[in-house]
Amino acid sequence: IGDGAPTGNYGYTNSGYSVYEEENERLTESLRTKVSAIKSLSIEIGTEVKNQNKMLSEMDNDFDSAGGLLGATMGRLRTLSRGSQTKLLCYMMLFALFVFFVIYWIIKLR
């Protein structure tokens, strides 16, 4: 057909074309393996994010309940502190005297 042009292979020799084709196949397979690894890694990351979000939600609920409990305790302490100070002071003095006499009695028995 042409002047010395090979027929049927469009100017490529069989050995050169197959080398490029094999290299393309190898690179394609390598790319396919890397994409598969990235896909599985992204799925694992998504699963871990879901688990962490669930754990954070549970911790938020726990902190809310602890905050409510602490608020109730502080309310009780405020009520106690607003009560009669003299009554509380008398109880503390009686307790201190009791402890003092117990310690004195233990030392005396030695």
Side-chain angles (χ1 to χ4, degrees), residues 83-94:
S84 74
Q85 297 293 327
T86 57
K87 187 177 181 182
L88 184 62
L89 188 59
C90 286
Y91 285 140
M92 287 177 46
M93 289 300 289
L94 287 173

Side-chain angles (χ1 to χ4, degrees), residues 20-51:
Y20 290 129
E21 186 176 335
E22 288 174 9
E23 184 178 354
N24 281 341
E25 289 295 324
R26 183 180 53 81
L27 291 173
T28 302
E29 186 60 34
S30 172
L31 184 62
R32 185 174 293 130
T33 303
K34 290 176 183 177
V35 167
S36 174
I38 290 173
K39 179 182 176 184
S40 65
L41 185 63
S42 65
I43 289 172
E44 289 175 11
I45 288 173
T47 304
E48 185 66 25
V49 166
K50 287 178 185 177
N51 290 337

